[in-house]
């Protein structure tokens, strides 16, 4: 189907724009820049790549079903995302090229793991688990976004906050709102899409019988 290679190309183009465009420099100066990179990788590029890979030769979800368990994948992403938002690790990723590459790479791997676990070639055999995995991911993304947006003190210090007219706290709060808007909603929409497909399959099965 033509939409699969198109989705794969769009996912790769998104990664190229995120990693080779102005966002890495912005992320070094503003927390908002970091969050835009994070969300574009896990909530835009990763699902596009997963849709493009699903059912193809590079869809490893059918070959490694234990690793691509939707719940396990969601838990892995939870640890990855929350760990990189610890102030110490976040600072390391902003000041060290190696740490930044590790951060972005782990975001990509964890995001792709979650979306392939839900949308990969074995999704029809574990649709409920895929729905649960995406909804669990939506919940922990939403929780982290709320904590960042509602925090009364800045957890991160970025040198460009003052130059942009934002205080460090305002910069952080805007980043939290971006996580809520992109992260929480993207995984929720994915889970609802799988739920709709599952209900349609059951309806068709009942009509045939």
């Amino acid at each position: 189907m033509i939409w699969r290679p198109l989705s794969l190309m769009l996912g790769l183009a998104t990664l190229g724009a995120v990693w080779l465009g102005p966002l890495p420099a912005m992320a070094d100066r503003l927390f908002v820049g970091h969050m835009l990179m994070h969300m574009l990788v896990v909530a835009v590029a990763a699902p596009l790549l997963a849709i493009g890979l699903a059912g193809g030769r590079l869809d490893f979800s059918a070959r490694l079903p234990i690793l691509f368990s939707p719940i396990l994948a969601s838990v892995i992403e939870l640890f990855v995302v929350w760990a990189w938002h610890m102030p110490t690790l976040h600072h390391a990723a902003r000041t060290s090229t190696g740490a930044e590459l590790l951060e972005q790479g782990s975001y990509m791997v964890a995001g792709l793991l979650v979306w392939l676990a839900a949308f990969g070639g074995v999704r029809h055999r574990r649709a409920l688990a895929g729905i649960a995995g995406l909804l669990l991911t939506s919940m922990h993304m939403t929780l982290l976004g709320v904590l960042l947006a509602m925090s009364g003190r800045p957890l991160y210090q970025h040198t460009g906050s003052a130059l942009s007219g934002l205080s460090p706290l305002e910069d952080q709060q805007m980043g939290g709102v971006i996580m809520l808007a992109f992260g929480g909603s993207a995984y929720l929409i994915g889970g609802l899409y799988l739920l709709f497909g599952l209900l349609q399959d059951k309806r068709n099965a009942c009509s045939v019988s």
Side-chain angles (χ1 to χ4, degrees):
M1 294 183 184
I2 191 171
W3 55 269
R4 284 186 176 173
L6 178 60
S7 179
L8 189 60
M9 290 176 60
L10 287 174
L12 292 173
T14 301
L15 283 182
V18 171
W19 289 342
L20 302 178
L23 281 178
M26 182 182 176
D28 291 341
R29 297 180 288 106
L30 292 169
F31 183 72
V32 167
H34 155 79
M35 192 58 73
L36 285 172
M37 287 185 68
H38 178 190
M39 290 298 102
L40 286 171
V41 168
V42 302
V44 178
L48 286 171
L49 291 174
I51 292 170
L53 294 173
R57 289 179 297 175
L58 296 179
D59 180 3
F60 295 102
S61 62
R63 305 176 202 175
L64 301 169
I66 296 178
L67 177 62
F68 284 88
S69 163
I71 302 299
L72 175 61
S74 178
V75 172
I76 290 173
E77 186 170 37
L78 185 154
F79 278 104
V80 169
V81 169
W82 284 70
W84 281 112
H85 285 85
M86 298 287 287
T88 302
L89 287 180
H90 178 82
H91 178 74
R94 304 286 70 80
T95 56
S96 166
T97 301
E100 183 179 30
L101 291 174
L102 181 59
E103 175 202 57
Q104 292 299 309
S106 62
Y107 283 158
M108 183 68 257
V109 171
L112 192 57
L113 186 65
V114 169
W115 288 103
L116 262 183
F119 284 89
V122 296
R123 69 181 185 278
H124 295 298
R125 281 183 274 160
R126 54 187 189 198
L128 287 176
I131 293 167
L134 289 178
L135 293 182
L136 176 60
T137 307
S138 175
M139 290 171 61
H140 80 71
M141 288 280 190
T142 298
L143 177 58
L144 182 55
V146 169
L147 290 175
L148 293 172
M150 300 298 291
S151 175
R153 63 183 181 88
L155 302 175
Y156 317 105
Q157 295 292 332
H158 287 258
T159 57
S161 297
L163 296 176
S164 67
L166 296 172
S167 70
L169 181 58
E170 290 170 337
D171 183 25
Q172 175 183 302
Q173 290 172 338
M174 286 184 63
V177 171
I178 291 172
M179 174 170 269
L180 283 170
F182 279 87
S185 60
Y187 290 95
L188 177 60
I189 291 170
L192 292 176
Y193 174 81
L194 289 181
L195 178 60
F196 177 77
L198 180 62
L199 293 176
Q200 285 291 101
D201 290 343
K202 287 189 175 182
R203 182 179 299 174
N204 293 337
C206 290
S207 63
V208 170
S209 60

